[in-house]
Amino acid sequence: MSIINLKDKNLYYIGGVVRDEILGHKSFDIDITYVGDAIEFAKTIPDAQILQINEPFGTVRIKMNGEEIDIASTRCETYPQKGHLPVVGDIGCSLKEDVLRRDFTINALTKSTLTGEIIDYTKGLEDIKTKTLRILHDNSFIDDPTRIVRALKFSVRFGFELEPHTKKLQDEYLSNINYDMSYKRLKKELVETFNLNSWTAFERFIEQGIYKLIAPCEFTLPTVNLEELINLYNPIYPWIIYVGLLPDISNLPLTKSEKKIVDDYKKILNQVQNDKIISDFEIYKNFEGVNLETVLMYATVNTEVATRYLDILRHIKLEITGKDLQNLGIPPSSKYSEIFDCVLKEKLKNPELSKFEEIELAKKFL
Ligand code: ATP
């Protein structure tokens, strides 16, 4: 773990960073908690410049020796509106109370910045040893169902299993989901989980019914394992390839490009009948202009067509342009696209065609 250059008897590493250190994993975030008021504490640190204060949450960002450090005050949280952001209660509570608002025992470990001692109020160390994911109280998933996806993420990332009572509570929640929840938070966890590109994660997501958190619908696991294809073609947004396959993800707040990926996939599904043999020209036209992610989603329906496009067809490009047609004396009109399509059909049969030969073909089609 990258150690911060700040030590105090009330200052603790907390959560994922402690877990990752024990597991020998690299941590991206370092969460630090001050038992008491972190903002007041920050003001007393010599050589520290205060960059940002968030009074309602009791958090502060400081800069010290060129390093930016976020410090949180210990705090309690309650969930008056289940499934939504918690409400901050007592700021400056005890370390134990702060720990008890967390999701799993493995994420509830703390380590003193001063002595390096690990404080384990919830038997998280034992659960790390036995590779177990255990929630801290029976209402945990009701308070925050995104924890179900977090459990999936950790189970795949670390090879951990849900402890039986936790699994039972997960099943109970999934058979009675409260759809009034924060889909922004759910999406964040889905993105982190499925960007791991794990087919095992997707299998569990479907088989355990976790996908129903997004919308009440039915879905069966595709027979094509996407993990290898994703590794092979390296899309920018692996997560949407998995999640976008579900029949209804309208609850998730998607970006414009994510929405395009899913909409294009649905459009292609409607256009291409799976049992019909389609020509290279039809494949080309269907996938032209869509994102790689969409083509990979379609690979679950027809891998041969999708990989033919990705491996061969998408690299074939016409060289002839509208300018060339104008030079041939053809005034710009809808005729252009007809001519381009005719030339394209030939180019797909013979990708070696030169620009000169394309122009000769265009003349022929006039
Ligand atoms: P990752 O490595 O994926 O970032 P992390 O455990 O560090 O995992 P963060 O989302 O950075 O996760 O959260 C930091 C800590 O905050 C967690 O270790 C956990 O203690 C707590 N936490 C995060 N999300 C929740 C949640 N939904 N419910 C309760 N505690 C949470």
PDB file of all heavy atoms in Angstrom, residues 288-324:
ATOM      1  N   GLU A 288     -21.763  -0.948 -40.624  1.00  0.00           N
ATOM      2  CA  GLU A 288     -21.046   0.281 -40.954  1.00  0.00           C
ATOM      3  C   GLU A 288     -21.472   1.394 -39.975  1.00  0.00           C
ATOM      4  O   GLU A 288     -22.670   1.621 -39.790  1.00  0.00           O
ATOM      5  CB  GLU A 288     -21.414   0.683 -42.388  1.00  0.00           C
ATOM      6  CG  GLU A 288     -20.459   1.640 -43.022  1.00  0.00           C
ATOM      7  CD  GLU A 288     -20.910   1.978 -44.451  1.00  0.00           C
ATOM      8  OE1 GLU A 288     -22.088   1.740 -44.799  1.00  0.00           O
ATOM      9  OE2 GLU A 288     -20.063   2.496 -45.198  1.00  0.00           O
ATOM     10  N   GLY A 289     -20.500   2.038 -39.363  1.00  0.00           N
ATOM     11  CA  GLY A 289     -20.813   3.178 -38.494  1.00  0.00           C
ATOM     12  C   GLY A 289     -21.214   2.794 -37.075  1.00  0.00           C
ATOM     13  O   GLY A 289     -21.457   3.658 -36.243  1.00  0.00           O
ATOM     14  N   VAL A 290     -21.313   1.499 -36.771  1.00  0.00           N
ATOM     15  CA  VAL A 290     -21.653   1.146 -35.381  1.00  0.00           C
ATOM     16  C   VAL A 290     -20.358   0.920 -34.594  1.00  0.00           C
ATOM     17  O   VAL A 290     -19.296   0.695 -35.167  1.00  0.00           O
ATOM     18  CB  VAL A 290     -22.582  -0.101 -35.260  1.00  0.00           C
ATOM     19  CG1 VAL A 290     -23.785   0.017 -36.165  1.00  0.00           C
ATOM     20  CG2 VAL A 290     -21.823  -1.384 -35.521  1.00  0.00           C
ATOM     21  N   ASN A 291     -20.464   0.980 -33.295  1.00  0.00           N
ATOM     22  CA  ASN A 291     -19.278   0.803 -32.457  1.00  0.00           C
ATOM     23  C   ASN A 291     -18.889  -0.674 -32.389  1.00  0.00           C
ATOM     24  O   ASN A 291     -19.729  -1.557 -32.548  1.00  0.00           O
ATOM     25  CB  ASN A 291     -19.559   1.266 -31.026  1.00  0.00           C
ATOM     26  CG  ASN A 291     -19.791   2.746 -30.951  1.00  0.00           C
ATOM     27  OD1 ASN A 291     -20.710   3.260 -31.562  1.00  0.00           O
ATOM     28  ND2 ASN A 291     -18.945   3.441 -30.215  1.00  0.00           N
ATOM     29  N   LEU A 292     -17.635  -0.876 -32.084  1.00  0.00           N
ATOM     30  CA  LEU A 292     -17.123  -2.242 -31.902  1.00  0.00           C
ATOM     31  C   LEU A 292     -17.973  -3.003 -30.874  1.00  0.00           C
ATOM     32  O   LEU A 292     -18.271  -4.191 -31.031  1.00  0.00           O
ATOM     33  CB  LEU A 292     -15.659  -2.131 -31.427  1.00  0.00           C
ATOM     34  CG  LEU A 292     -14.959  -3.390 -30.964  1.00  0.00           C
ATOM     35  CD1 LEU A 292     -14.949  -4.441 -32.068  1.00  0.00           C
ATOM     36  CD2 LEU A 292     -13.516  -3.071 -30.552  1.00  0.00           C
ATOM     37  N   GLU A 293     -18.383  -2.294 -29.827  1.00  0.00           N
ATOM     38  CA  GLU A 293     -19.168  -2.929 -28.756  1.00  0.00           C
ATOM     39  C   GLU A 293     -20.449  -3.546 -29.318  1.00  0.00           C
ATOM     40  O   GLU A 293     -20.855  -4.634 -28.918  1.00  0.00           O
ATOM     41  CB  GLU A 293     -19.525  -1.904 -27.670  1.00  0.00           C
ATOM     42  CG  GLU A 293     -18.370  -1.487 -26.769  1.00  0.00           C
ATOM     43  CD  GLU A 293     -17.442  -0.446 -27.382  1.00  0.00           C
ATOM     44  OE1 GLU A 293     -17.632  -0.069 -28.567  1.00  0.00           O
ATOM     45  OE2 GLU A 293     -16.505  -0.010 -26.693  1.00  0.00           O
ATOM     46  N   THR A 294     -21.093  -2.829 -30.239  1.00  0.00           N
ATOM     47  CA  THR A 294     -22.342  -3.335 -30.821  1.00  0.00           C
ATOM     48  C   THR A 294     -22.075  -4.626 -31.600  1.00  0.00           C
ATOM     49  O   THR A 294     -22.833  -5.590 -31.498  1.00  0.00           O
ATOM     50  CB  THR A 294     -22.950  -2.274 -31.773  1.00  0.00           C
ATOM     51  OG1 THR A 294     -23.211  -1.097 -31.006  1.00  0.00           O
ATOM     52  CG2 THR A 294     -24.233  -2.763 -32.407  1.00  0.00           C
ATOM     53  N   VAL A 295     -21.004  -4.636 -32.367  1.00  0.00           N
ATOM     54  CA  VAL A 295     -20.684  -5.836 -33.161  1.00  0.00           C
ATOM     55  C   VAL A 295     -20.425  -7.011 -32.214  1.00  0.00           C
ATOM     56  O   VAL A 295     -20.881  -8.135 -32.450  1.00  0.00           O
ATOM     57  CB  VAL A 295     -19.460  -5.599 -34.076  1.00  0.00           C
ATOM     58  CG1 VAL A 295     -19.300  -6.768 -35.031  1.00  0.00           C
ATOM     59  CG2 VAL A 295     -19.585  -4.300 -34.846  1.00  0.00           C
ATOM     60  N   LEU A 296     -19.731  -6.746 -31.108  1.00  0.00           N
ATOM     61  CA  LEU A 296     -19.446  -7.832 -30.163  1.00  0.00           C
ATOM     62  C   LEU A 296     -20.732  -8.320 -29.484  1.00  0.00           C
ATOM     63  O   LEU A 296     -20.887  -9.505 -29.197  1.00  0.00           O
ATOM     64  CB  LEU A 296     -18.405  -7.389 -29.135  1.00  0.00           C
ATOM     65  CG  LEU A 296     -16.995  -7.221 -29.738  1.00  0.00           C
ATOM     66  CD1 LEU A 296     -16.040  -6.608 -28.733  1.00  0.00           C
ATOM     67  CD2 LEU A 296     -16.439  -8.556 -30.225  1.00  0.00           C
ATOM     68  N   MET A 297     -21.662  -7.416 -29.228  1.00  0.00           N
ATOM     69  CA  MET A 297     -22.953  -7.858 -28.681  1.00  0.00           C
ATOM     70  C   MET A 297     -23.626  -8.789 -29.677  1.00  0.00           C
ATOM     71  O   MET A 297     -24.171  -9.835 -29.324  1.00  0.00           O
ATOM     72  CB  MET A 297     -23.865  -6.650 -28.400  1.00  0.00           C
ATOM     73  CG  MET A 297     -23.420  -5.846 -27.198  1.00  0.00           C
ATOM     74  SD  MET A 297     -24.266  -4.260 -27.133  1.00  0.00           S
ATOM     75  CE  MET A 297     -25.841  -4.765 -26.471  1.00  0.00           C
ATOM     76  N   TYR A 298     -23.545  -8.416 -30.951  1.00  0.00           N
ATOM     77  CA  TYR A 298     -24.178  -9.248 -31.974  1.00  0.00           C
ATOM     78  C   TYR A 298     -23.480 -10.609 -32.103  1.00  0.00           C
ATOM     79  O   TYR A 298     -24.095 -11.591 -32.532  1.00  0.00           O
ATOM     80  CB  TYR A 298     -24.204  -8.512 -33.333  1.00  0.00           C
ATOM     81  CG  TYR A 298     -25.041  -9.253 -34.337  1.00  0.00           C
ATOM     82  CD1 TYR A 298     -26.433  -9.253 -34.247  1.00  0.00           C
ATOM     83  CD2 TYR A 298     -24.445 -10.011 -35.342  1.00  0.00           C
ATOM     84  CE1 TYR A 298     -27.202  -9.982 -35.130  1.00  0.00           C
ATOM     85  CE2 TYR A 298     -25.212 -10.744 -36.237  1.00  0.00           C
ATOM     86  CZ  TYR A 298     -26.597 -10.714 -36.114  1.00  0.00           C
ATOM     87  OH  TYR A 298     -27.362 -11.455 -36.988  1.00  0.00           O
ATOM     88  N   ALA A 299     -22.220 -10.660 -31.675  1.00  0.00           N
ATOM     89  CA  ALA A 299     -21.493 -11.944 -31.721  1.00  0.00           C
ATOM     90  C   ALA A 299     -22.182 -13.009 -30.873  1.00  0.00           C
ATOM     91  O   ALA A 299     -22.033 -14.205 -31.119  1.00  0.00           O
ATOM     92  CB  ALA A 299     -20.056 -11.746 -31.264  1.00  0.00           C
ATOM     93  N   THR A 300     -22.964 -12.595 -29.887  1.00  0.00           N
ATOM     94  CA  THR A 300     -23.687 -13.597 -29.067  1.00  0.00           C
ATOM     95  C   THR A 300     -24.836 -14.212 -29.873  1.00  0.00           C
ATOM     96  O   THR A 300     -25.345 -15.265 -29.530  1.00  0.00           O
ATOM     97  CB  THR A 300     -24.283 -12.972 -27.784  1.00  0.00           C
ATOM     98  OG1 THR A 300     -25.197 -11.945 -28.148  1.00  0.00           O
ATOM     99  CG2 THR A 300     -23.203 -12.410 -26.886  1.00  0.00           C
ATOM    100  N   VAL A 301     -25.243 -13.533 -30.946  1.00  0.00           N
ATOM    101  CA  VAL A 301     -26.337 -14.032 -31.778  1.00  0.00           C
ATOM    102  C   VAL A 301     -25.764 -14.813 -32.968  1.00  0.00           C
ATOM    103  O   VAL A 301     -26.230 -15.890 -33.299  1.00  0.00           O
ATOM    104  CB  VAL A 301     -27.187 -12.837 -32.312  1.00  0.00           C
ATOM    105  CG1 VAL A 301     -28.315 -13.323 -33.192  1.00  0.00           C
ATOM    106  CG2 VAL A 301     -27.714 -12.021 -31.149  1.00  0.00           C
ATOM    107  N   ASN A 302     -24.741 -14.245 -33.612  1.00  0.00           N
ATOM    108  CA  ASN A 302     -24.123 -14.901 -34.762  1.00  0.00           C
ATOM    109  C   ASN A 302     -22.630 -14.529 -34.771  1.00  0.00           C
ATOM    110  O   ASN A 302     -22.247 -13.490 -35.298  1.00  0.00           O
ATOM    111  CB  ASN A 302     -24.822 -14.454 -36.053  1.00  0.00           C
ATOM    112  CG  ASN A 302     -24.382 -15.279 -37.237  1.00  0.00           C
ATOM    113  OD1 ASN A 302     -23.257 -15.794 -37.268  1.00  0.00           O
ATOM    114  ND2 ASN A 302     -25.255 -15.410 -38.219  1.00  0.00           N
ATOM    115  N   THR A 303     -21.829 -15.390 -34.184  1.00  0.00           N
ATOM    116  CA  THR A 303     -20.400 -15.083 -34.035  1.00  0.00           C
ATOM    117  C   THR A 303     -19.721 -15.005 -35.397  1.00  0.00           C
ATOM    118  O   THR A 303     -18.835 -14.175 -35.614  1.00  0.00           O
ATOM    119  CB  THR A 303     -19.710 -16.177 -33.194  1.00  0.00           C
ATOM    120  OG1 THR A 303     -20.517 -16.452 -32.065  1.00  0.00           O
ATOM    121  CG2 THR A 303     -18.340 -15.745 -32.711  1.00  0.00           C
ATOM    122  N   GLU A 304     -20.143 -15.876 -36.307  1.00  0.00           N
ATOM    123  CA  GLU A 304     -19.484 -15.935 -37.606  1.00  0.00           C
ATOM    124  C   GLU A 304     -19.626 -14.594 -38.354  1.00  0.00           C
ATOM    125  O   GLU A 304     -18.640 -14.061 -38.870  1.00  0.00           O
ATOM    126  CB  GLU A 304     -20.150 -17.046 -38.408  1.00  0.00           C
ATOM    127  CG  GLU A 304     -19.196 -17.763 -39.323  1.00  0.00           C
ATOM    128  CD  GLU A 304     -19.948 -18.821 -40.099  1.00  0.00           C
ATOM    129  OE1 GLU A 304     -20.681 -19.611 -39.469  1.00  0.00           O
ATOM    130  OE2 GLU A 304     -19.816 -18.821 -41.331  1.00  0.00           O
ATOM    131  N   VAL A 305     -20.840 -14.091 -38.371  1.00  0.00           N
ATOM    132  CA  VAL A 305     -21.092 -12.820 -39.060  1.00  0.00           C
ATOM    133  C   VAL A 305     -20.305 -11.696 -38.389  1.00  0.00           C
ATOM    134  O   VAL A 305     -19.633 -10.898 -39.044  1.00  0.00           O
ATOM    135  CB  VAL A 305     -22.612 -12.511 -39.066  1.00  0.00           C
ATOM    136  CG1 VAL A 305     -22.880 -11.050 -39.377  1.00  0.00           C
ATOM    137  CG2 VAL A 305     -23.321 -13.402 -40.083  1.00  0.00           C
ATOM    138  N   ALA A 306     -20.361 -11.642 -37.064  1.00  0.00           N
ATOM    139  CA  ALA A 306     -19.699 -10.546 -36.337  1.00  0.00           C
ATOM    140  C   ALA A 306     -18.186 -10.594 -36.562  1.00  0.00           C
ATOM    141  O   ALA A 306     -17.560  -9.556 -36.809  1.00  0.00           O
ATOM    142  CB  ALA A 306     -20.030 -10.628 -34.853  1.00  0.00           C
ATOM    143  N   THR A 307     -17.591 -11.776 -36.478  1.00  0.00           N
ATOM    144  CA  THR A 307     -16.127 -11.835 -36.615  1.00  0.00           C
ATOM    145  C   THR A 307     -15.707 -11.647 -38.088  1.00  0.00           C
ATOM    146  O   THR A 307     -14.626 -11.145 -38.348  1.00  0.00           O
ATOM    147  CB  THR A 307     -15.547 -13.147 -36.051  1.00  0.00           C
ATOM    148  OG1 THR A 307     -16.226 -14.246 -36.654  1.00  0.00           O
ATOM    149  CG2 THR A 307     -15.690 -13.220 -34.547  1.00  0.00           C
ATOM    150  N   ARG A 308     -16.567 -12.043 -39.023  1.00  0.00           N
ATOM    151  CA  ARG A 308     -16.243 -11.783 -40.433  1.00  0.00           C
ATOM    152  C   ARG A 308     -16.163 -10.271 -40.657  1.00  0.00           C
ATOM    153  O   ARG A 308     -15.275  -9.778 -41.339  1.00  0.00           O
ATOM    154  CB  ARG A 308     -17.304 -12.407 -41.356  1.00  0.00           C
ATOM    155  CG  ARG A 308     -17.077 -12.102 -42.804  1.00  0.00           C
ATOM    156  CD  ARG A 308     -17.554 -13.144 -43.778  1.00  0.00           C
ATOM    157  NE  ARG A 308     -17.226 -12.773 -45.139  1.00  0.00           N
ATOM    158  CZ  ARG A 308     -16.051 -12.938 -45.710  1.00  0.00           C
ATOM    159  NH1 ARG A 308     -15.078 -13.518 -45.039  1.00  0.00           N
ATOM    160  NH2 ARG A 308     -15.808 -12.541 -46.948  1.00  0.00           N
ATOM    161  N   TYR A 309     -17.086  -9.546 -40.062  1.00  0.00           N
ATOM    162  CA  TYR A 309     -17.049  -8.095 -40.201  1.00  0.00           C
ATOM    163  C   TYR A 309     -15.784  -7.537 -39.527  1.00  0.00           C
ATOM    164  O   TYR A 309     -15.063  -6.735 -40.118  1.00  0.00           O
ATOM    165  CB  TYR A 309     -18.295  -7.451 -39.582  1.00  0.00           C
ATOM    166  CG  TYR A 309     -18.247  -5.949 -39.694  1.00  0.00           C
ATOM    167  CD1 TYR A 309     -18.467  -5.321 -40.920  1.00  0.00           C
ATOM    168  CD2 TYR A 309     -17.919  -5.159 -38.599  1.00  0.00           C
ATOM    169  CE1 TYR A 309     -18.374  -3.948 -41.051  1.00  0.00           C
ATOM    170  CE2 TYR A 309     -17.823  -3.779 -38.719  1.00  0.00           C
ATOM    171  CZ  TYR A 309     -18.052  -3.174 -39.948  1.00  0.00           C
ATOM    172  OH  TYR A 309     -17.947  -1.813 -40.081  1.00  0.00           O
ATOM    173  N   LEU A 310     -15.509  -7.999 -38.312  1.00  0.00           N
ATOM    174  CA  LEU A 310     -14.392  -7.415 -37.560  1.00  0.00           C
ATOM    175  C   LEU A 310     -13.038  -7.789 -38.159  1.00  0.00           C
ATOM    176  O   LEU A 310     -12.125  -6.972 -38.198  1.00  0.00           O
ATOM    177  CB  LEU A 310     -14.447  -7.875 -36.094  1.00  0.00           C
ATOM    178  CG  LEU A 310     -15.640  -7.345 -35.290  1.00  0.00           C
ATOM    179  CD1 LEU A 310     -15.633  -7.917 -33.881  1.00  0.00           C
ATOM    180  CD2 LEU A 310     -15.619  -5.811 -35.247  1.00  0.00           C
ATOM    181  N   ASP A 311     -12.921  -9.016 -38.628  1.00  0.00           N
ATOM    182  CA  ASP A 311     -11.606  -9.473 -39.101  1.00  0.00           C
ATOM    183  C   ASP A 311     -11.314  -9.010 -40.520  1.00  0.00           C
ATOM    184  O   ASP A 311     -10.172  -8.754 -40.861  1.00  0.00           O
ATOM    185  CB  ASP A 311     -11.529 -11.010 -39.047  1.00  0.00           C
ATOM    186  CG  ASP A 311     -11.578 -11.513 -37.610  1.00  0.00           C
ATOM    187  OD1 ASP A 311     -11.286 -10.708 -36.711  1.00  0.00           O
ATOM    188  OD2 ASP A 311     -11.919 -12.693 -37.395  1.00  0.00           O
ATOM    189  N   ILE A 312     -12.349  -8.977 -41.348  1.00  0.00           N
ATOM    190  CA  ILE A 312     -12.100  -8.709 -42.775  1.00  0.00           C
ATOM    191  C   ILE A 312     -12.831  -7.458 -43.271  1.00  0.00           C
ATOM    192  O   ILE A 312     -12.215  -6.478 -43.677  1.00  0.00           O
ATOM    193  CB  ILE A 312     -12.512  -9.933 -43.629  1.00  0.00           C
ATOM    194  CG1 ILE A 312     -11.661 -11.140 -43.180  1.00  0.00           C
ATOM    195  CG2 ILE A 312     -12.313  -9.659 -45.123  1.00  0.00           C
ATOM    196  CD1 ILE A 312     -12.138 -12.459 -43.684  1.00  0.00           C
ATOM    197  N   LEU A 313     -14.156  -7.513 -43.195  1.00  0.00           N
ATOM    198  CA  LEU A 313     -14.932  -6.504 -43.931  1.00  0.00           C
ATOM    199  C   LEU A 313     -14.694  -5.071 -43.458  1.00  0.00           C
ATOM    200  O   LEU A 313     -14.627  -4.155 -44.271  1.00  0.00           O
ATOM    201  CB  LEU A 313     -16.429  -6.852 -43.860  1.00  0.00           C
ATOM    202  CG  LEU A 313     -16.789  -8.248 -44.385  1.00  0.00           C
ATOM    203  CD1 LEU A 313     -18.290  -8.485 -44.290  1.00  0.00           C
ATOM    204  CD2 LEU A 313     -16.337  -8.424 -45.831  1.00  0.00           C
ATOM    205  N   ARG A 314     -14.575  -4.875 -42.150  1.00  0.00           N
ATOM    206  CA  ARG A 314     -14.472  -3.474 -41.676  1.00  0.00           C
ATOM    207  C   ARG A 314     -13.183  -2.798 -42.158  1.00  0.00           C
ATOM    208  O   ARG A 314     -13.068  -1.584 -42.141  1.00  0.00           O
ATOM    209  CB  ARG A 314     -14.593  -3.399 -40.157  1.00  0.00           C
ATOM    210  CG  ARG A 314     -13.397  -3.914 -39.415  1.00  0.00           C
ATOM    211  CD  ARG A 314     -13.456  -3.551 -37.938  1.00  0.00           C
ATOM    212  NE  ARG A 314     -12.577  -4.423 -37.174  1.00  0.00           N
ATOM    213  CZ  ARG A 314     -12.128  -4.150 -35.983  1.00  0.00           C
ATOM    214  NH1 ARG A 314     -12.486  -3.043 -35.392  1.00  0.00           N
ATOM    215  NH2 ARG A 314     -11.339  -4.990 -35.356  1.00  0.00           N
ATOM    216  N   HIS A 315     -12.197  -3.608 -42.580  1.00  0.00           N
ATOM    217  CA  HIS A 315     -10.928  -3.002 -43.035  1.00  0.00           C
ATOM    218  C   HIS A 315     -10.985  -2.592 -44.503  1.00  0.00           C
ATOM    219  O   HIS A 315     -10.073  -1.954 -45.006  1.00  0.00           O
ATOM    220  CB  HIS A 315      -9.781  -3.996 -42.833  1.00  0.00           C
ATOM    221  CG  HIS A 315      -9.642  -4.414 -41.395  1.00  0.00           C
ATOM    222  ND1 HIS A 315      -9.344  -3.523 -40.399  1.00  0.00           N
ATOM    223  CD2 HIS A 315      -9.817  -5.617 -40.787  1.00  0.00           C
ATOM    224  CE1 HIS A 315      -9.320  -4.154 -39.232  1.00  0.00           C
ATOM    225  NE2 HIS A 315      -9.618  -5.428 -39.442  1.00  0.00           N
ATOM    226  N   ILE A 316     -12.064  -2.998 -45.172  1.00  0.00           N
ATOM    227  CA  ILE A 316     -12.186  -2.659 -46.590  1.00  0.00           C
ATOM    228  C   ILE A 316     -12.872  -1.295 -46.713  1.00  0.00           C
ATOM    229  O   ILE A 316     -13.973  -1.094 -46.187  1.00  0.00           O
ATOM    230  CB  ILE A 316     -13.012  -3.745 -47.331  1.00  0.00           C
ATOM    231  CG1 ILE A 316     -12.311  -5.102 -47.182  1.00  0.00           C
ATOM    232  CG2 ILE A 316     -13.204  -3.366 -48.801  1.00  0.00           C
ATOM    233  CD1 ILE A 316     -13.085  -6.273 -47.747  1.00  0.00           C
ATOM    234  N   LYS A 317     -12.181  -0.382 -47.370  1.00  0.00           N
ATOM    235  CA  LYS A 317     -12.750   0.972 -47.481  1.00  0.00           C
ATOM    236  C   LYS A 317     -12.695   1.417 -48.942  1.00  0.00           C
ATOM    237  O   LYS A 317     -11.682   1.208 -49.615  1.00  0.00           O
ATOM    238  CB  LYS A 317     -11.916   1.973 -46.661  1.00  0.00           C
ATOM    239  CG  LYS A 317     -11.858   1.673 -45.174  1.00  0.00           C
ATOM    240  CD  LYS A 317     -12.938   2.424 -44.422  1.00  0.00           C
ATOM    241  CE  LYS A 317     -12.787   2.327 -42.922  1.00  0.00           C
ATOM    242  NZ  LYS A 317     -13.197   1.110 -42.305  1.00  0.00           N
ATOM    243  N   LEU A 318     -13.761   2.042 -49.389  1.00  0.00           N
ATOM    244  CA  LEU A 318     -13.749   2.602 -50.740  1.00  0.00           C
ATOM    245  C   LEU A 318     -12.804   3.801 -50.781  1.00  0.00           C
ATOM    246  O   LEU A 318     -12.743   4.575 -49.824  1.00  0.00           O
ATOM    247  CB  LEU A 318     -15.153   3.085 -51.127  1.00  0.00           C
ATOM    248  CG  LEU A 318     -16.169   2.034 -51.556  1.00  0.00           C
ATOM    249  CD1 LEU A 318     -17.449   2.726 -52.014  1.00  0.00           C
ATOM    250  CD2 LEU A 318     -15.630   1.161 -52.670  1.00  0.00           C
ATOM    251  N   GLU A 319     -12.105   3.908 -51.907  1.00  0.00           N
ATOM    252  CA  GLU A 319     -11.222   5.082 -52.024  1.00  0.00           C
ATOM    253  C   GLU A 319     -11.889   6.189 -52.829  1.00  0.00           C
ATOM    254  O   GLU A 319     -11.576   7.354 -52.701  1.00  0.00           O
ATOM    255  CB  GLU A 319      -9.912   4.671 -52.681  1.00  0.00           C
ATOM    256  CG  GLU A 319      -9.028   3.880 -51.722  1.00  0.00           C
ATOM    257  CD  GLU A 319      -7.760   3.427 -52.401  1.00  0.00           C
ATOM    258  OE1 GLU A 319      -6.921   4.293 -52.691  1.00  0.00           O
ATOM    259  OE2 GLU A 319      -7.644   2.217 -52.642  1.00  0.00           O
ATOM    260  N   ILE A 320     -12.810   5.782 -53.680  1.00  0.00           N
ATOM    261  CA  ILE A 320     -13.504   6.761 -54.529  1.00  0.00           C
ATOM    262  C   ILE A 320     -14.336   7.704 -53.642  1.00  0.00           C
ATOM    263  O   ILE A 320     -14.901   7.267 -52.629  1.00  0.00           O
ATOM    264  CB  ILE A 320     -14.385   6.027 -55.560  1.00  0.00           C
ATOM    265  CG1 ILE A 320     -14.958   6.986 -56.571  1.00  0.00           C
ATOM    266  CG2 ILE A 320     -15.487   5.238 -54.901  1.00  0.00           C
ATOM    267  CD1 ILE A 320     -15.638   6.279 -57.745  1.00  0.00           C
ATOM    268  N   THR A 321     -14.358   8.977 -54.016  1.00  0.00           N
ATOM    269  CA  THR A 321     -15.112   9.952 -53.211  1.00  0.00           C
ATOM    270  C   THR A 321     -16.118  10.696 -54.092  1.00  0.00           C
ATOM    271  O   THR A 321     -16.083  10.560 -55.327  1.00  0.00           O
ATOM    272  CB  THR A 321     -14.155  11.004 -52.607  1.00  0.00           C
ATOM    273  OG1 THR A 321     -13.565  11.701 -53.702  1.00  0.00           O
ATOM    274  CG2 THR A 321     -13.096  10.387 -51.730  1.00  0.00           C
ATOM    275  N   GLY A 322     -16.920  11.502 -53.449  1.00  0.00           N
ATOM    276  CA  GLY A 322     -17.894  12.316 -54.175  1.00  0.00           C
ATOM    277  C   GLY A 322     -17.201  13.234 -55.177  1.00  0.00           C
ATOM    278  O   GLY A 322     -17.702  13.494 -56.266  1.00  0.00           O
ATOM    279  N   LYS A 323     -16.026  13.699 -54.777  1.00  0.00           N
ATOM    280  CA  LYS A 323     -15.260  14.591 -55.652  1.00  0.00           C
ATOM    281  C   LYS A 323     -14.931  13.889 -56.975  1.00  0.00           C
ATOM    282  O   LYS A 323     -15.021  14.484 -58.050  1.00  0.00           O
ATOM    283  CB  LYS A 323     -13.971  14.969 -54.900  1.00  0.00           C
ATOM    284  CG  LYS A 323     -13.251  16.123 -55.455  1.00  0.00           C
ATOM    285  CD  LYS A 323     -13.153  17.229 -54.425  1.00  0.00           C
ATOM    286  CE  LYS A 323     -12.980  18.510 -55.200  1.00  0.00           C
ATOM    287  NZ  LYS A 323     -11.944  19.308 -54.985  1.00  0.00           N
ATOM    288  N   ASP A 324     -14.581  12.595 -56.857  1.00  0.00           N
ATOM    289  CA  ASP A 324     -14.254  11.839 -58.086  1.00  0.00           C
ATOM    290  C   ASP A 324     -15.481  11.757 -58.983  1.00  0.00           C
ATOM    291  O   ASP A 324     -15.357  11.854 -60.209  1.00  0.00           O
ATOM    292  CB  ASP A 324     -13.782  10.413 -57.726  1.00  0.00           C
ATOM    293  CG  ASP A 324     -12.505  10.447 -56.904  1.00  0.00           C
ATOM    294  OD1 ASP A 324     -11.592  11.211 -57.272  1.00  0.00           O
ATOM    295  OD2 ASP A 324     -12.430   9.729 -55.880  1.00  0.00           O
TER     296      ASP A 324
END
